[in-house]
Amino acid sequence: MSLQTRLREWLPRLQAPPTWGVDPVPAEHRRLRWFDIFVLWSSLGVGLLVLEAGALLVPGLSLLQALLAILVGTAIGTLLLALVGILGSEHGIPTMVLLRSVFGKQGSYLATIFNVVQLVGWTAFELWVIGLAADQVGQALFGVSNRTLWVAVFAVWCTLLALGGPLVVVREWLEKFGIWIVYAVTIWMTIYLFTHYDILALLSRPGTGEMPFWLGVDLVAAMPISWIPLVADYNRFVRRSKDSFWGTYLGFALTNIWFYSLGALFLLTANVSEPTPEHLITAIMAMTGGIVALAVILVDETDNAFADIYSTAISIQNIFPQFNQRLLIILTGVIGFIFATFLTMSEYFNFLLLIGSLFVPLFGIVLADYFVVRRWGLAEEAGEWRISALVAWLAGILIYQAITQWAPQIGASIPCFLLTFLLYTGLRRLWQQRPVRVSREG
């Protein structure tokens, strides 16, 4: 085979893939199947930050309570994630654009601003922990430490993944290599913990009681909920809604449960004094073959940062559709790198709960509108503002924060979602019974 022929085979892969911005993805480009989306969301459920969140559950909860909280929180949060994913696959548009029919065009901009802030925050958190882990691996292998350099290297790599887009990342990276080495390493870490420690004894050990059970559920549910504002950005490439739902639900639930549980086990077994990324990284490296395991998790962590960077650009285009998507991706990578160089993890717990307070009620409203008010339909784009949705959203945020502050023992996610769901449904029905007149409600 001549060099010219080989170049012709490889160059198309290097060409920039098409972008659709806020426009619906054409049907012929919705190529992802059940297995594709399962692999994507399974990969996005893996990460050092998930281990960190799992470690926060104990010893405030006993290990048995923590595992139950992980199951319940994952079931709740991932159900919401998969349901919103259906909207993406049905209509082929990003999540923030879906909000236009519920909150109005201007109302969707408000939600978009919050989403961009949380995505830039997640980008910085991801790059920070990637740089930390890479620096530890570099010191162990080469005796050299330069965390800022590692953050820069992986910021560039994650930005390149985002420029490639979801179809390239899923088909060319995750399905061919990424997810399989992650599964292998995760199985190895699980076997190691179960063969080196008495897990049954840990299950009978009581917790300190510092964390209420339902607050633990909120902490677990916050992880899949944090992905809800992004889900349609990827599920709009799925062929069928059934594939979208089950691929998302099973894929994310599998690894979210697995890594939350491993985080709790590492804290209780591996002499981890505090649930910090530094201590968890040290515990992983202390295992036989721990450096290899950490390196694999580190590489997979880049998928999470890719998703945050890509979806930041897509979200901004909801407000400014004329902006170039690739330029927005590059700018997000740069900003994430800058923030990651001076970030600390001291506010990570509060950051997760803040995400829950904003997006649990937001998507309670979206699901109420789609499944109850519209009966499995998406309305035409509303006017500038839809007051009923904004009122219900504000009420939901206040409900979540009030429960978290004054009644954490009952948990905020389930009551907040249900109350916001019912409140919005009631407001819409009251509004529809009013005499028809010109308004901004839409």
Side-chain angles (χ1 to χ4, degrees):
M1 182 183 294
S2 67
L3 178 61
Q4 185 177 7
T5 303
R6 291 180 180 179
L7 287 174
R8 286 177 179 173
E9 289 183 355
W10 283 98
L11 282 177
R13 297 188 181 186
L14 301 177
Q15 293 174 355
T19 60
W20 292 275
V22 298
D23 297 325
V25 175
E28 63 269 21
H29 290 281
R30 300 184 194 181
R31 300 172 180 169
L32 298 184
R33 305 153 298 169
W34 175 88
F35 181 70
D36 299 318
I37 207 68
F38 172 89
V39 167
L40 173 63
W41 284 107
S42 181
S43 178
L44 293 178
V46 170
L48 291 168
L49 289 178
V50 185
L51 289 175
E52 156 82 358
L56 292 172
L57 297 172
V58 292
L61 295 174
S62 69
L63 179 59
L64 187 59
Q65 289 175 319
L67 293 176
L68 182 58
I70 291 167
L71 291 173
V72 174
T74 298
I76 294 169
T78 310
L79 176 62
L80 302 183
L81 178 72
L83 287 174
V84 177
I86 289 177
L87 278 67
S89 60
E90 285 281 348
H91 303 283
I93 54 179
T95 314
M96 292 299 106
V97 181
L98 286 167
L99 298 183
R100 292 181 180 185
S101 68
V102 183
F103 289 85
K105 190 172 184 180
Q106 300 290 334
S108 78
Y109 293 171
L110 179 61
T112 297
I113 292 170
F114 285 126
N115 190 41
V116 169
V117 170
Q118 76 123 353
L119 288 175
V120 171
W122 275 118
T123 301
F125 274 124
E126 294 289 355
L127 292 177
W128 182 87
V129 78
I130 288 170
L132 178 68
D135 191 54
Q136 293 287 334
V137 172
Q139 288 184 56
L141 294 179
F142 312 113
V144 178
S145 175
N146 192 328
R147 188 172 66 87
T148 302
L149 176 61
W150 283 114
V151 172
V153 168
F154 280 98
V156 171
W157 172 245
C158 295
T159 301
L160 290 174
L161 289 177
L163 290 170
L167 296 179
V168 172
V169 170
V170 172
R171 292 284 179 81
E172 299 299 327
W173 164 239
L174 292 177
E175 289 186 1
K176 291 182 178 179
F177 309 102
I179 197 63
W180 308 115
I181 58 176
V182 169
Y183 282 161
V185 162
T186 307
I187 291 170
W188 162 244
M189 290 194 300
T190 305
I191 292 173
Y192 182 92
L193 289 173
F194 273 80
T195 55
H196 285 73
Y197 301 97
D198 189 349
I199 304 300
L200 291 177
L202 290 176
L203 287 171
S204 62
R205 183 189 301 176
T208 63
E210 295 174 357
M211 176 173 289
F213 173 79
W214 288 105
L215 181 59
V217 171
D218 284 342
L219 184 61
V220 177
M223 194 63 72
I225 287 169
S226 72
W227 287 105
I228 292 178
L230 291 69
V231 62
D233 300 355
Y234 307 96
N235 288 40
R236 61 182 174 151
F237 295 98
V238 182
R239 294 176 182 175
R240 300 188 305 167
S241 298
K242 182 179 179 180
D243 292 344
S244 169
F245 178 84
W246 288 110
T248 302
Y249 191 89
L250 296 176
F252 196 89
L254 170 65
T255 50
N256 196 65
I257 291 171
W258 207 344
F259 267 71
Y260 262 91
S261 301
L262 286 176
L265 287 173
F266 270 118
L267 187 91
L268 295 174
T269 60
N271 296 319
V272 177
S273 58
E274 294 179 338
T276 64
E278 294 93 336
H279 289 141
L280 288 169
I281 288 169
T282 301
I284 294 172
M285 292 181 66
M287 297 167 49
T288 303
I291 295 178
V292 174
L294 181 60
V296 169
I297 296 172
L298 168 65
V299 171
D300 186 76
E301 192 88 24
T302 60
D303 299 336
N304 297 32
F306 136 76
D308 296 325
I309 294 171
Y310 176 80
S311 285
T312 300
I314 298 297
S315 296
I316 292 173
Q317 285 188 298
N318 181 46
I319 304 176
F320 304 106
Q322 72 276 17
F323 283 13
N324 183 277
Q325 184 182 114
R326 296 187 180 97
L327 178 60
L328 291 173
I329 285 172
I330 293 171
L331 290 175
T332 302
V334 171
I335 294 170
F337 163 73
I338 293 171
F339 286 165
T341 57
F342 59 82
L343 183 71
T344 67
M345 294 297 292
S346 58
E347 295 300 320
Y348 182 50
F349 179 86
N350 292 331
F351 179 68
L352 288 176
L353 292 180
L354 176 63
I355 289 169
S357 71
L358 290 174
F359 294 114
V360 166
L362 177 73
F363 288 99
I365 293 166
V366 170
L367 294 175
D369 189 84
Y370 186 80
F371 290 107
V372 178
V373 176
R374 308 290 174 187
R375 297 184 181 181
W376 288 75
L378 193 66
E380 294 294 326
E381 185 176 303
E384 292 183 359
W385 301 92
R386 176 166 279 163
I387 304 303
S388 56
L390 294 171
V391 169
W393 187 21
L394 177 60
I397 293 171
L398 294 175
I399 290 169
Y400 192 105
Q401 291 290 345
I403 294 174
T404 300
Q405 294 295 322
W406 297 313
Q409 67 276 10
I410 68 172
S413 295
I414 297 176
C416 176
F417 176 82
L418 292 176
L419 291 173
T420 309
F421 188 101
L422 294 172
L423 175 61
Y424 174 74
T425 302
L427 288 174
R428 288 305 300 163
R429 289 181 175 173
L430 286 174
W431 194 274
Q432 290 167 356
Q433 293 173 3
R434 296 178 60 179
V436 177
R437 61 183 182 182
V438 177
S439 72
R440 301 182 70 183
E441 176 72 6

